[in-house]
Amino acid sequence: MSCELVNAAVSHQLRTSLTSIQASLGLLQSGKVHPESDRGQRLLDIAVNNAQRLMRFTTALEADASLLGSGMPAANLARLRLESELDAAWEYQEFEVFYQPIVCTRTNRIVSFEALVRWQHPQRGLISPALFIPVAEESGLIVPLGEWVLEQACRQLRLWQEQFSTPEPLAVNVNLSPRQLSHPDLVERVQQILQRTGIAPKCLHLEITESALISDSEAAIAMLHQLKALGVQLYLDDFGTGYSSLSRLHELSVDVLKIDRAFIAQQQWSLVCGILYLAAGLGLGVVVEGIETPEELERARNIGCYRCQGYHFARPLGAAGATGLLRRYNGQACQPNRPQGEDWQCKSCC
Ligand code: C2E
Ligand code: MG
Ligand code: MG
């Protein structure tokens, strides 16, 4: 990297962080925003996160003085830039919640929507959460962001429940990150959101990944028990890709396993069958992710997966698009698509 470019990159780093700190503290100092209010707390978070970023940046420069001369690796610079842009995105409310349906393939009805956050970047357009969630996780922004997603999703669910009546009420699945899971206020915040939005706890499905349980598993398991005591359902996301210690499934008190889409993409149907067998033995439900084609849906149905999610049904959509889907799938009387010769009842939607 040329010297001019390095200077520009370093001064960009310093300027964006300092501007965020200056703007946040300036608003607090002006008295227009009370430090104890939600917005005040967000502004403080932004100031602290940016100060920490400056500290990391300085430490990196001190540790390797040649960085200034030879140029910091482009990936590091891009990451630092993403961090500061994310804070600004939070302040300017550039996030949106998208929804992807989970369908009961016996009745062809939507039983839940997974809430998936998107970042509507003013220049770069929609940015995938796979790119920015790890950064938000590291900086701590995931805590207020995740809470916001949860509240939006519950509000939207309330609207749908009022608009579309189903024998069993529609539910919403919301992802919880490891950092959220270790936050001491989590249970209280979830409870408050349920109360504010009037959502029955059983209609809220919280998704956690196995990796969230590794770092401080005792504390995480205690948190899961407290969440469970609220009456919400717990889903183990991306199941089969992490460090699944099968013997621990019981103590995690999860209700449902979400089989990772990699199994479907690689057509590993015998492994899917194995997981179904395991789940049945433990009394757990199963959702299969990543159903992209009619053939995969048929295959899933044939081996007894009746809760599916994937592009075959729909990609994640904004609230208006998801409402259109609900009208299409759940707008008419339930018409069960019974597997031949099987005596069954779909508990969730029939
Ligand atoms: P996830 O929770 O496993 O969500 C499913 C991801 O798979 C979504 O990606 C979805 O768009 C994608 N997907 C669904 N069906 C198909 C399919 O048929 N084929 C393929 N190839 N992909 C499919 P997305 O929206 O990009 O989210 C990626 C990950 O980011 C999520 O994985 C989740 O771990 C994380 N994430 C998204 N929103 C949030 C959030 O609000 N909070 C937290 N903590 N994490 C989130
Ligand atoms: Mg998920
Ligand atoms: Mg998943």
Side-chain angles (χ1 to χ4, degrees):
M1 207 188 283
S2 76
C3 205
E4 289 76 29
L5 271 177
V6 174
N7 284 347
V10 170
S11 73
H12 173 81
Q13 255 329 296
L14 298 176
R15 187 168 291 284
T16 47
S17 292
L18 287 168
T19 309
S20 296
I21 293 171
Q22 193 182 36
S24 308
L25 295 182
L27 271 170
L28 288 168
Q29 196 187 29
S30 70
K32 286 183 197 148
V33 181
H34 196 278
E36 297 289 318
S37 66
D38 278 356
R39 181 144 191 249
Q41 290 297 310
R42 280 209 310 265
L43 290 171
L44 275 175
D45 281 347
I46 290 172
V48 170
N49 286 340
N50 277 284
Q52 285 169 345
R53 182 170 317 118
L54 282 179
M55 203 53 113
R56 285 201 298 277
F57 188 57
T58 318
T59 310
L61 288 179
E62 282 166 0
D64 188 354
S66 65
L67 284 176
L68 271 179
S70 63
M72 186 180 256
N76 291 10
L77 279 174
R79 166 102 184 188
L80 283 165
R81 191 166 158 197
L82 191 66
E83 265 190 48
S84 53
E85 283 187 340
L86 256 185
D87 280 344
W90 176 241
E91 183 53 18
Y92 294 115
Q93 301 177 0
E94 290 170 7
F95 296 101
E96 191 180 343
V97 181
F98 274 35
Y99 299 90
Q100 188 181 32
I102 298 174
V103 176
C104 169
T105 59
R106 288 167 146 166
T107 58
N108 208 30
R109 283 182 164 238
I110 296 173
V111 290
S112 185
F113 277 101
E114 178 168 7
L116 294 157
V117 69
R118 297 288 182 268
W119 174 9
Q120 185 72 57
H121 191 285
Q123 281 91 40
R124 288 192 267 158
L126 271 191
I127 300 188
S128 157
L131 203 73
F132 68 83
I133 289 284
V135 182
E137 176 76 15
E138 205 170 292
S139 75
L141 180 69
I142 192 66
V143 173
L145 177 62
E147 200 178 310
W148 177 81
V149 171
L150 181 61
E151 177 129 22
Q152 294 298 308
C154 287
R155 279 186 197 290
Q156 186 57 57
L157 177 64
R158 182 65 201 254
L159 290 177
W160 282 329
Q161 285 182 344
E162 286 166 359
Q163 216 176 334
F164 299 89
S165 72
T166 39
E168 269 289 308
L170 191 70
V172 75
N173 286 41
V174 179
N175 293 284
L176 276 188
S177 80
R179 190 133 175 186
Q180 283 176 280
L181 202 61
S182 63
H183 200 278
D185 291 344
L186 176 68
V187 176
E188 200 188 326
R189 294 302 175 98
V190 171
Q191 192 168 27
Q192 286 168 351
I193 290 175
L194 287 171
Q195 275 165 1
R196 269 204 297 275
T197 55
I199 292 298
K202 68 172 182 173
C203 298
L204 175 61
H205 303 165
L206 295 176
E207 298 194 2
I208 40 149
T209 53
E210 293 157 89
S211 55
L213 305 168
I214 292 168
S215 54
D216 187 357
S217 59
E218 290 310 310
I221 290 169
M223 185 64 93
L224 292 185
H225 284 291
Q226 287 182 53
L227 286 169
K228 189 81 196 215
L230 288 181
V232 304
Q233 291 209 5
L234 300 178
Y235 279 51
L236 197 53
D237 203 357
D238 306 340
F239 183 76
T241 56
Y243 299 81
S244 313
S245 161
L246 298 180
S247 59
R248 283 184 63 209
L249 276 180
H250 248 330
E251 57 172 333
L252 298 182
S253 65
V254 292
D255 301 282
V256 177
L257 305 178
K258 283 190 90 172
I259 302 181
D260 192 75
R261 67 182 144 87
F263 291 100
I264 311 303
Q266 293 157 20
Q267 304 289 307
Q268 291 174 320
W269 293 101
S270 48
L271 286 176
V272 177
C273 275
I275 298 175
L276 281 178
Y277 188 74
L278 169 88
L282 292 170
L284 304 176
V286 168
V287 172
V288 183
E289 298 187 82
I291 297 291
E292 294 189 354
T293 65
E295 294 74 30
E296 287 167 355
L297 172 60
E298 199 47 38
R299 200 81 198 257
R301 241 193 222 138
N302 287 341
I303 59 169
C305 308
Y306 298 120
R307 292 287 148 92
C308 293
Q309 179 178 356
Y311 293 169
H312 171 70
F313 303 101
R315 288 181 181 249
L317 296 164
T323 306
L325 267 188
L326 259 179
R327 200 164 290 123
R328 219 171 76 212
Y329 275 82
N330 294 22
Q332 326 124 25
C334 177
Q335 289 179 348
N337 175 10
R338 291 168 189 267
Q340 272 192 347
E342 220 183 294
D343 184 22
W344 63 272
Q345 194 186 12
C346 181
K347 292 197 191 75
S348 270
C349 36
C350 294

